[in-house]
Amino acid sequence: MQRAIALSLENIDRGGGPFGAIIVRDDKIIATGVNRVTDCRDPTAHAEINAIRKACQVLNTFDLSGCELYTSCEPCPMCLGAIYWAHLDRVYYGNSKQDAANIDFDDSFIYDELSRDYSERKLPMERLLPEEAIKAFTYWEQKEDKVRY
């Protein structure tokens, strides 16, 4: 955890946000990540996402089972989704989402939006061409040599 916190502090001086993360397997650091949203001009370049991407490259896999994440702050909804998809075993965090909200990194609006009906959300969503779209799912379902993830 101390390394994740140190990364978050170092990243501020490099122009990034105050977030750092590391991924560990068998007590060894596999990958690190820091928040690079502004300099990369990428809203997905959060510390946890960057650490997950690096760990997957290092381990040559998309499944990080057997790994743990140490992050300087409780993961946002996007990062939490990525953590679940990566199959990390455990997450340790320093600052809470309320601590983040206190310095204007407030994700509560996303949690609120997810609990609303589509018709009540601020971001309009509309389903189009479901009869066409389902063809890809049908094809995937029937494919015998697919790699499940």
Side-chain angles (χ1 to χ4, degrees):
M1 180 56 81
Q2 289 173 331
R3 180 70 181 128
I5 293 168
L7 286 170
S8 72
L9 287 164
E10 294 164 11
N11 197 49
I12 296 168
D13 291 330
R14 289 192 223 129
F19 304 97
I22 63 169
I23 293 180
V24 174
R25 175 183 264 173
D26 298 327
D27 295 323
K28 293 180 187 169
I29 295 175
I30 302 299
T32 65
V34 294
N35 181 287
R36 304 309 297 169
V37 169
T38 55
D39 68 327
C40 290
R41 293 162 191 80
D42 178 356
T44 69
H46 289 200
E48 298 91 340
I49 301 285
N50 288 332
I52 288 169
R53 288 174 178 156
K54 287 179 189 173
C56 288
Q57 293 300 305
V58 167
L59 297 174
N60 194 32
T61 184
F62 52 81
D63 184 342
L64 297 178
S65 296
C67 295
E68 297 177 327
L69 174 75
Y70 293 79
T71 180
S72 63
C73 185
E74 186 174 356
C76 75
M78 175 184 68
C79 292
L80 190 58
I83 289 163
Y84 276 104
W85 281 116
H87 305 287
L88 287 155
D89 287 358
R90 190 176 190 102
V91 175
Y92 301 94
Y93 64 92
N95 293 310
S96 71
K97 60 184 174 185
Q98 185 57 55
D99 295 328
N102 292 343
I103 62 165
D104 294 327
F105 290 97
D106 189 356
D107 299 322
S108 63
F109 74 97
I110 297 174
Y111 290 106
D112 293 343
E113 284 287 288
L114 291 173
S115 67
R116 298 179 202 271
D117 185 76
Y118 288 126
S119 64
E120 297 173 0
R121 292 183 182 176
K122 292 177 183 164
L123 178 65
M125 293 182 69
E126 182 178 349
R127 188 174 184 192
L128 296 175
L129 303 175
E131 301 84 10
E132 300 249 352
I134 198 68
K135 291 176 186 175
F137 282 12
T138 301
Y139 178 49
W140 172 260
E141 186 178 39
Q142 295 170 352
K143 190 168 173 54
E144 293 190 18
D145 62 343
K146 63 186 163 224
V147 176
R148 294 187 180 275
Y149 56 96

